[in-house]
Amino acid sequence: MLVQAELGKKLRAIVGEKWFRDDQEALVAHSYDGTPMLQSLPEGVIYPSSTEEVSAIMKVLSEARIPLVSRGSGSNLCGGTVPVQGGIVMVMHRMNSILEVDEENLTATVQPGLITAEFIQHIEARGLFYPPDPSSMKISTIGGNIAECSGGLRGLKYGTTKDYVIGLEAVLADGRIIRTGGKLMKDVAGYDLTKLLVGSEGTLAVITEATLKLIPPPKTKKTMLAMYRDLYGAARTVSRIIESHIIPATLEFMDNPTIRVVDDFAGLGLPRDMEAILLIEQDGDPETVERDIARISEICASEAADRIEVAATREEAEKLLTARRSAFTALARLRPTTILEDATVPRSRIADMVLRINEIAKKHRVTIATFGHAGDGNLHPTATTDARDAEEIHRVEAAFEEIFEAAIALGGTITGEHGVGMVKAPYLEWKVGEPGIELMKGIKAAFDPHHLLNPGKIFAKETRKRVVIQHG
């Protein structure tokens, strides 16, 4: 139903006639995100231009007890910005400025609607480096990255979004504005509210400004491919690289189904008979990079890599990295519906996890390709299916449920970077336990006692029953 006329009038008075919409086109356009098969209509869509407007909006919604979902580009894969309880969707794209780049303190202050890739390009043009690089960075926003604590290909060496957010401005559910952290490398004044808000998926506050840490860029980079006929050889290579005290900038994995699809898509001439490919990049001082790449090549050869290739030029290296980033896009061409999940295990259990994924896919008669960030154990099993086939979708869902259970059984977790949202909510208690759930609910109540901010996310009405994993 449409927003009550009086409420709509109040919201338009804050942002202007143009920036509040309740027409059917706007409602449908903001009823879903990057997650397949999830959709729910909001009652209105609002586009604020400042923190003050966000605060005024929240005061109006709080008084009327109207839910709010804040969002950027909606590229998340956990149903995190689907307005399942209706209410208002707040789109942050008008707040897209780089407010300051402070080279004395190596920080940048930005608004949440800024596109990640545009920010990275701006920073690199000034001779600085912001490492978080989610695969969706050409469309995802900084605010969305913060809400989901996004990772990326460089996460092994450089960490994820949480490691670079050092200060926030945010608006609480009742409209009060808070500021956390700042341009500080040390700050232990009370609880770390900055880190608490990073990854909170819009359930605790609306982020309106972020202070981000920058670092000097690496002086040089080298990229290589190692190709294996033995999955365990690839997995052992990952463990041995880390055991050798080498931390690559990128250490990515693709299984055989992914290799075939990516090669069809990118036309790189990849060997289609390999069981696994590792894409490895190292950066830093030239001497260190040369030494590390040479040692990594030795390790790959000792673990029976069938072929080892080092990119001769930066252009060739970028082509390889682009191919890896395009894995999801390439897979999405195969069937009408593509469900990309993430599960993380200790890096020493990668081969075990990939084999379990393959066994589970065969058991449920579904097609799943696996790729991901081998260096930090974060894998992306991706099912190609058809949402119109209810019976097949049921089998896909059953397969993923077993995959999440398998990850936990191997010492892992149900999500490494996609977030909980709606999709993983039924499984969260498997990972954190009942006391963990109750503690998280207490934090939610302290920030948002009326449950107005992104309701229906993270906490499921009912926890799924644990499946029994039979190991062969």
Side-chain angles (χ1 to χ4, degrees):
M1 83 182 188
L2 298 179
V3 173
Q4 299 172 8
E6 186 62 30
L7 181 64
K9 183 178 179 181
K10 289 180 180 179
L11 295 175
R12 287 185 173 93
I14 296 169
V15 296
E17 188 73 24
K18 178 181 178 181
W19 302 113
F20 175 78
R21 294 178 60 181
D22 57 6
D23 58 279
Q24 194 68 9
E25 180 183 357
L27 301 186
V28 171
H30 296 89
S31 64
Y32 59 92
D33 56 25
T35 319
M37 303 183 298
L38 294 176
Q39 188 172 18
S40 181
L41 284 175
E43 297 167 48
V45 183
I46 197 163
Y47 307 81
S49 65
S50 68
T51 302
E52 290 70 29
E53 287 186 359
V54 174
S55 174
I57 292 164
M58 290 313 308
K59 288 176 182 176
V60 169
L61 297 182
S62 177
E63 183 179 0
R65 298 290 190 266
I66 301 293
L68 176 120
V69 177
S70 57
R71 64 172 277 165
S73 299
S75 58
N76 78 88
L77 295 168
C78 66
T81 52
V82 177
V84 288
Q85 294 186 19
I88 303 298
V89 170
M90 181 183 287
V91 183
M92 309 304 289
H93 278 167
R94 292 179 70 201
M95 299 176 63
N96 61 4
S97 297
I98 299 173
L99 301 175
E100 179 190 47
V101 177
D102 183 345
E103 297 195 23
E104 291 184 347
N105 288 300
L106 286 184
T107 65
T109 302
V110 305
Q111 292 182 310
L114 179 64
I115 299 296
T116 309
E118 293 177 5
F119 173 63
I120 289 174
Q121 290 167 4
H122 180 84
I123 291 304
E124 290 183 352
R126 298 185 62 156
L128 297 167
F129 188 34
Y130 179 74
D133 61 336
S135 294
S136 61
M137 65 183 181
K138 289 186 178 180
I139 57 172
S140 67
T141 63
I142 293 292
N145 295 169
I146 292 171
E148 300 296 338
C149 191
S150 299
L153 274 65
R154 298 190 286 236
L156 169 62
K157 183 172 186 177
Y158 290 103
T160 60
T161 298
K162 69 178 184 297
D163 301 302
Y164 295 87
V165 180
I166 57 176
L168 290 171
E169 177 185 78
V171 177
L172 300 176
D174 61 7
R176 288 180 295 166
I177 299 169
I178 63 169
R179 292 176 178 83
T180 72
K183 298 179 183 181
L184 307 168
M185 294 303 107
K186 290 183 177 180
D187 182 6
V188 294
Y191 298 139
D192 192 340
L193 297 179
T194 304
K195 291 294 188 287
L196 180 59
L197 290 177
V198 176
S200 62
E201 304 186 26
T203 64
L204 300 182
V206 179
I207 292 166
T208 55
E209 188 177 296
T211 300
L212 307 174
K213 179 177 71 173
L214 307 175
I215 62 176
K219 293 180 180 178
T220 189
K221 299 177 184 179
K222 272 207 167 181
T223 305
M224 62 182 289
L225 283 181
M227 310 167 205
Y228 297 81
R229 297 186 186 277
D230 172 29
L231 186 64
Y232 274 94
R236 286 193 303 268
T237 298
V238 173
S239 296
R240 285 193 58 200
I241 289 171
I242 306 301
E243 287 172 359
S244 299
H245 299 175
I246 299 172
I247 307 297
T250 297
L251 182 46
E252 295 291 303
F253 167 88
M254 291 188 288
D255 71 354
N256 180 266
T258 309
I259 294 167
R260 289 172 174 270
V261 173
V262 167
D263 192 51
D264 288 340
F265 179 76
L268 294 175
L270 298 175
R272 303 163 71 91
D273 58 341
M274 295 295 160
E275 286 302 308
I277 284 180
L278 295 179
L279 171 64
I280 306 167
E281 183 172 78
Q282 183 58 302
D283 62 12
D285 294 329
E287 300 83 0
T288 301
V289 171
E290 291 292 340
R291 184 189 69 228
D292 286 352
I293 290 293
R295 177 60 182 140
I296 291 170
S297 296
E298 291 174 2
I299 293 170
C300 294
S302 71
E303 293 297 344
D306 190 83
R307 288 167 57 185
I308 301 168
E309 297 178 0
V310 178
T313 65
R314 193 64 223 156
E315 291 73 23
E316 187 178 330
E318 286 300 328
K319 192 175 181 181
L320 296 175
L321 290 167
T322 299
R324 162 57 188 88
R325 292 185 194 279
S326 69
F328 175 60
T329 304
L331 287 163
R333 300 165 71 220
L334 300 182
R335 299 282 307 277
T337 307
T338 306
I339 304 175
L340 187 154
E341 278 296 352
D342 81 317
T344 302
V345 295
R347 61 174 69 94
S348 62
R349 307 306 298 271
I350 287 174
D352 296 327
M353 186 63 193
V354 174
L355 290 175
R356 285 292 301 131
I357 291 169
N358 293 343
E359 291 168 2
I360 291 167
K362 183 177 180 180
K363 171 185 173 182
H364 292 279
R365 295 178 289 114
V366 296
T367 301
I368 297 180
T370 303
F371 59 93
H373 316 303
D376 51 26
N378 185 203
L379 297 174
H380 295 307
T382 304
T384 52
T385 182
D386 189 339
R388 296 167 295 185
D389 186 336
E391 190 274 334
E392 183 177 329
I393 290 297
H394 177 74
R395 287 187 278 112
V396 169
E397 291 174 343
F400 276 123
E401 184 165 320
E402 287 197 30
I403 287 170
F404 301 148
E405 169 65 14
I408 291 175
L410 291 171
T413 185
I414 61 172
T415 177
E417 59 186 6
H418 287 181
V420 176
M422 296 169 61
V423 173
K424 302 289 181 66
Y427 312 106
L428 182 60
E429 190 174 321
W430 293 8
K431 174 59 181 173
V432 303
E434 185 177 349
I437 292 289
E438 292 306 312
L439 184 59
M440 290 181 183
K441 285 182 176 179
I443 293 170
K444 168 69 171 172
F447 274 83
D448 180 18
H450 300 295
H451 297 271
L452 300 179
L453 293 174
N454 208 8
K457 311 299 166 56
I458 298 181
F459 306 112
K461 292 181 179 178
E462 184 177 349
T463 297
R464 290 285 180 91
K465 183 179 178 181
R466 290 282 288 271
V467 296
V468 177
I469 298 295
Q470 299 290 341
H471 294 280

